[in-house]
Amino acid sequence: MTKPTPAPKKSAARSKAAAPAATTILLVRHGQTPTTGKVLPGRAKGLHLADEGHRQAQIAADRIAELGRVDAVYSSPLERAKETAAPISKALGLRTKVDRGLFECDFGDWTGKELKALNKLPEWQTVQRAPSTFRFPNGESFTEMQTRMVSTLDRLRLEHPGGTIVCVSHADTIKAAVAHALGTHIDLFQRIVISPASVSALTWHAGGPIVLAVNSTGRPLTELKPA
């Protein structure tokens, strides 16, 4: 009696589901404003870019345009972020999409306060050295802000598998996202510098995020690639 021929084994490559395509997110901080480095503006409306901020935004736009294909440009709802996103969208032939997940941290009662005055508060040392333990009075905590920002980037990257998107946001939100991608605790995120109109690049693949650049302000973005 002849034995039945066994069914051919499926190759390991075919038996596994295809890995999702990697997505790159360019995190752009808004350009300089008249109060940059002087005031904690937070979510207060009516703060626009300074002339230097517009110049910085155009430089960022020119650099990002060198990449060629970009799938979408997203921005925080605040004016200074939307004004930074505008030349980027124009250079790419896209329309800026506003996403509240990219909002500045809610500084609550500290909104609009001068930094030199805040520096004298005992709570300021907590903000700098143990931010995970701090909540802004009547505002957001740093851990809530980081969770919001990372969740937003996760949502947006899944909407653009295999693509590249731009997200214009704010210094602390971008620092928190970069810290998360690096596996760095939020208590150390103040060690990361995010300059006005700088570009930080993160790529997500099946194994998690890869940090391609942090606080890039000059070198061509075409040089950014995982090693």
Side-chain angles (χ1 to χ4, degrees), residues 190-205:
Q190 299 286 23
R191 299 182 182 185
I192 300 170
V193 174
I194 300 295
S195 302
S198 64
V199 179
S200 298
L202 311 178
T203 290
W204 275 263
H205 63 103

Side-chain angles (χ1 to χ4, degrees), residues 49 54 57-58 61-62 82-92 96:
L49 294 182
H54 284 289
Q58 186 59 57
D62 293 341
K82 291 189 291 185
E83 289 171 2
T84 301
I88 299 173
S89 293
K90 182 178 180 180
L92 298 170
T96 301

Side-chain angles (χ1 to χ4, degrees), residues 104-125:
E104 172 66 287
C105 183
D106 184 355
F107 297 126
D109 295 345
W110 286 23
T111 300
K113 303 293 185 182
E114 291 188 358
L115 290 174
K116 64 180 181 181
L118 294 174
N119 288 343
K120 298 176 182 178
L121 298 177
E123 296 93 336
W124 188 257
Q125 292 305 315

Side-chain angles (χ1 to χ4, degrees), residues 126-148:
T126 303
V127 169
Q128 299 302 314
R129 299 180 182 180
S132 68
T133 67
F134 186 78
R135 174 186 295 279
F136 290 97
N138 295 311
E140 207 171 17
S141 72
F142 281 107
T143 53
E144 286 171 339
M145 176 268 288
Q146 184 181 50
T147 299
R148 166 174 58 82

Side-chain angles (χ1 to χ4, degrees), residues 153-210:
L153 298 183
D154 273 338
R155 170 171 52 81
L156 295 179
R157 74 179 177 86
L158 292 174
E159 292 179 11
H160 302 278
T164 297
I165 64 174
V166 175
C167 292
V168 182
S169 191
H170 306 270
D172 281 345
T173 51
I174 294 174
K175 285 160 58 176
V178 170
H180 180 269
L182 288 170
T184 300
H185 196 279
I186 189 69
D187 280 344
L188 302 178
F189 95 126
Q190 299 286 23
R191 299 182 182 185
I192 300 170
V193 174
I194 300 295
S195 302
S198 64
V199 179
S200 298
L202 311 178
T203 290
W204 275 263
H205 63 103
I210 293 175

